[in-house]
Amino acid sequence: MDLRSVRGTHDIYGDEILKFNKISKVVSSNAKISGFKELTTPIFEFSKLFEKPLGDQSDVVLKEMYSFEDRNKDNLTLRPEYTTPMIRAAITNSMLNELPLKLFGIGPMFRRERPQKGRYRQFNQINFEILGSEDYLADVELIFVANEILKKLLPNNIVILNLNNLGSKKNLLDYKRSLTKFFKDKKNKLSKESIDKIEKNPLRILDSKNEIDIEISKNAPSIQDYVSDELKGHHKKIKDSLNLLGIKFIENSSLVRGLDYYCSTVFEFKTDNLGSQDTILGGGRYDGLVSILGGPDIPGIGWAAGVERISLLMQNNTNDVTEVHIAVTDREFTNHLLKLMQYLNFNKISYYWNYKFNLKKSLSKANKLKVRKVIIIGEKENKGNFFTVKDLQTGEQNELNLNQLDKYFDDKNW
Ligand code: HAM
């Protein structure tokens, strides 16, 4: 039998799962502090949910969705992103009665992309959304929360916030028209992928990685000439607030984002340490999306971050060593051992026990695992109803009953 996992998928264990758990803990605690409520949605939805909102020209919909027909001939899709399912859930569960609604979630997403470091076909996203506020403070708060989370998880990495303003939906439409005209004149020089985008999504040519496309784009019209004064004001207030909060950013006029639903504020946190998959977190405003999905005409803004990308940048957590190792010399003493297991569980002291009755092997295993303390149960311990605790670093040995263990672990600042 072929036991390989599917290309672009991976098992998560060892150091990586510890990092995932830490990410999840930091995200949940920060979300709680800032009043975001958790929501998980099903892994698959009707395909229609994604097709229109994500843009029938965006890469995600055209090439990357895992879609299938089930026995009822329903067209279903493994969710490629979280924003649309979250809005669907907010509408169908009547969560939009009280606005703004602040939601967050963490979970797996699926995109059939070409796998490489930091890019997978099943990956996990952290997702934050605010529905029902057009206030610039919603933009600021979301960026602030993102920055706080990344600061905690990646204290030793340089992660830079890139910011752009795409204007209103109408501004964006006018801008797209003028871009189409501009690129049409240069059609012969553009890469094949970009030629395909001239009519339907010229914005995406601006973030092409092809060198000639980049050179041509340098002379393309600027979105700033199309943005309304009102939205310029909105953007200025965001920048002032970020300065006040001490969040460094660069203004990046080629930042357009890959999904079609964006307008106004868009942003990405990028790093130099991940090769070409350098965006850790990205998001922006999607005014109009809630109504496209059948909800009220309310604005929205959010972001998503890749858990795997954050994890790749995190250091391994070397503190996660089991606290005690148990060594039992004979099966006869299992009753005494069971009492110890109960005690350690009750007191939340982590232990390892390998079902082998060999003191020498147990001690060498404990040394190998870098466990600091071994609790030994032999004949005299069993008879005398106590335990021998050996500190492998100092060699110190103590004979202690259950009550004395309490004091011992307290004193040792466990
Ligand atoms: P996105 O830019 O498509 O945005 O994805 C957000 C983040 O998910 C990326 O910056 C990256 O860290 C991670 N990511 C995306 N694709 C992959 C992959 N194939 N492998 C590993 N990590 C990946 C969205 O999904 C929007 N829904 C974000 C949003 C929320 N906008 C508003 N609200």
Side-chain angles (χ1 to χ4, degrees):
M1 197 169 53
D2 187 354
L3 286 181
R4 281 173 310 164
S5 55
V6 176
R7 199 162 122 79
T9 69
H10 63 289
D11 302 310
I12 303 164
Y13 61 95
D15 286 331
E16 196 178 9
I17 199 94
L18 296 177
K19 291 193 256 179
F20 269 48
N21 291 341
K22 177 160 181 203
I23 293 170
S24 177
K25 217 164 136 187
V26 166
V27 167
S28 303
S29 119
N30 271 59
K32 197 169 166 202
I33 291 168
S34 354
F36 285 77
K37 301 277 182 256
E38 187 162 11
L39 166 66
T40 27
T41 66
I43 302 279
F44 56 92
E45 302 266 1
F46 289 116
S47 304
K48 274 200 310 266
L49 179 73
F50 301 110
E51 281 160 4
K52 190 159 175 214
L54 300 194
D56 51 13
Q57 284 307 306
S58 75
D59 283 349
V60 172
V61 172
L62 282 181
K63 300 190 267 183
E64 297 172 0
M65 292 209 309
Y66 279 99
S67 299
F68 58 98
E69 202 179 69
D70 79 352
R71 286 199 205 169
N72 290 343
K73 304 239 177 284
D74 285 327
N75 288 314
L76 305 175
T77 293
L78 301 184
R79 62 183 184 196
E81 62 113 43
Y82 225 162
T83 310
T84 20
M86 279 206 167
I87 296 174
R88 198 264 315 126
I91 298 170
T92 52
N93 296 294
S94 311
M95 293 181 203
L96 296 172
N97 301 334
E98 247 182 81
L99 297 176
L101 179 65
K102 302 188 186 189
L103 296 171
F104 86 101
I106 308 181
M109 307 294 144
F110 305 83
R111 296 183 191 175
R112 199 180 187 289
E113 299 194 77
R114 196 167 47 79
Q116 56 175 251
K117 183 179 169 196
R119 188 163 72 192
Y120 312 98
R121 292 181 173 174
Q122 174 171 342
F123 59 99
N124 291 276
Q125 265 190 355
I126 303 159
N127 204 82
F128 277 69
E129 309 289 349
I130 301 179
L131 299 175
S133 175
E134 55 189 9
D135 203 303
Y136 79 92
L137 288 171
D139 308 39
V140 172
E141 185 178 32
L142 269 178
I143 294 174
F144 172 68
V145 172
N147 192 60
E148 286 295 301
I149 290 174
L150 293 180
K151 241 175 30 190
K152 272 189 200 149
L153 292 171
L154 304 173
N156 303 319
N157 281 270
I158 298 173
V159 178
I160 296 287
L161 168 63
N162 285 237
L163 198 62
N164 196 14
N165 177 11
L166 299 178
S168 65
K169 286 269 172 212
K170 157 107 183 39
N171 301 155
L172 202 52
L173 211 67
D174 292 342
Y175 178 54
K176 277 186 188 167
R177 272 196 211 111
S178 108
L179 272 183
T180 300
K181 192 160 170 298
F182 171 83
F183 285 122
K184 249 187 187 164
D185 294 342
K186 323 265 174 315
K187 196 169 172 176
N188 299 339
K189 295 188 194 138
L190 289 172
S191 67
K192 184 172 171 330
E193 293 78 45
S194 290
I195 292 173
D196 293 344
K197 289 174 182 148
I198 293 179
E199 290 291 342
K200 293 206 164 150
N201 203 350
L203 218 53
R204 292 307 311 273
I205 303 177
L206 297 179
D207 69 356
S208 159
K209 299 239 155 86
N210 178 291
E211 275 180 24
I212 296 169
D213 292 349
I214 294 174
E215 215 31 58
I216 294 174
S217 294
K218 279 184 185 157
N219 296 319
S222 161
I223 179 70
Q224 296 320 318
D225 297 334
Y226 293 80
V227 175
S228 66
D229 286 344
E230 190 193 341
L231 280 177
K232 276 189 180 143
H234 180 96
H235 200 60
K236 163 126 191 0
K237 285 186 224 152
I238 295 172
K239 290 189 287 185
D240 289 346
S241 303
L242 294 178
N243 283 330
L244 197 94
L245 290 166
I247 300 175
K248 291 202 180 76
F249 60 88
I250 50 174
E251 291 196 69
N252 178 351
S253 59
S254 65
L255 181 71
V256 295
R257 307 278 303 130
L259 303 165
D260 266 14
Y261 49 57
Y262 292 107
C263 61
S264 187
T265 310
V266 285
F267 55 92
E268 285 183 350
F269 282 84
K270 287 174 174 285
T271 171
D272 283 340
N273 304 335
L274 268 186
S276 65
Q277 300 311 309
D278 58 355
T279 305
I280 301 173
L281 181 153
R285 278 209 167 262
Y286 45 82
D287 301 350
L289 180 58
V290 182
S291 60
I292 289 181
L293 291 171
D297 188 13
I298 54 168
I301 177 166
W303 56 256
V307 175
E308 282 78 2
R309 289 189 194 175
I310 295 177
S311 161
L312 278 169
L313 293 172
M314 278 166 75
Q315 267 152 18
N316 289 345
N317 180 0
T318 42
N319 293 333
D320 195 77
V321 177
T322 309
E323 288 159 309
V324 298
H325 198 97
I326 304 175
V328 191
T329 59
D330 198 293
R331 190 177 284 281
E332 248 185 78
F333 313 137
T334 40
N335 287 358
H336 201 40
L337 162 74
L338 293 177
K339 272 188 264 164
L340 178 66
M341 270 165 50
Q342 250 179 346
Y343 172 86
L344 295 172
N345 269 283
F346 186 78
N347 289 287
K348 300 194 176 70
I349 296 168
S350 63
Y351 64 89
Y352 180 78
W353 149 239
N354 65 1
Y355 317 113
K356 298 213 167 73
F357 300 92
N358 182 322
L359 184 62
K360 218 168 141 201
K361 277 194 184 154
S362 291
L363 287 175
S364 81
K365 178 89 181 172
N367 268 315
K368 212 164 128 198
L369 293 173
K370 298 200 172 58
V371 180
R372 177 95 192 257
K373 302 201 191 297
V374 180
I375 302 186
I376 301 165
I377 301 178
E379 193 165 357
K380 66 174 179 180
E381 285 83 4
N382 184 57
K383 210 165 174 187
N385 203 19
F386 63 86
F387 303 94
T388 299
V389 184
K390 185 178 167 106
D391 186 312
L392 291 184
Q393 237 169 46
T394 61
E396 183 191 315
Q397 235 168 262
N398 290 283
E399 294 183 349
L400 307 163
N401 64 28
L402 283 183
N403 292 334
Q404 291 164 324
L405 276 181
D406 270 346
K407 185 162 171 11
Y408 177 85
F409 286 130
D410 275 354
D411 286 354
K412 301 278 160 179
N413 222 351
W414 229 195

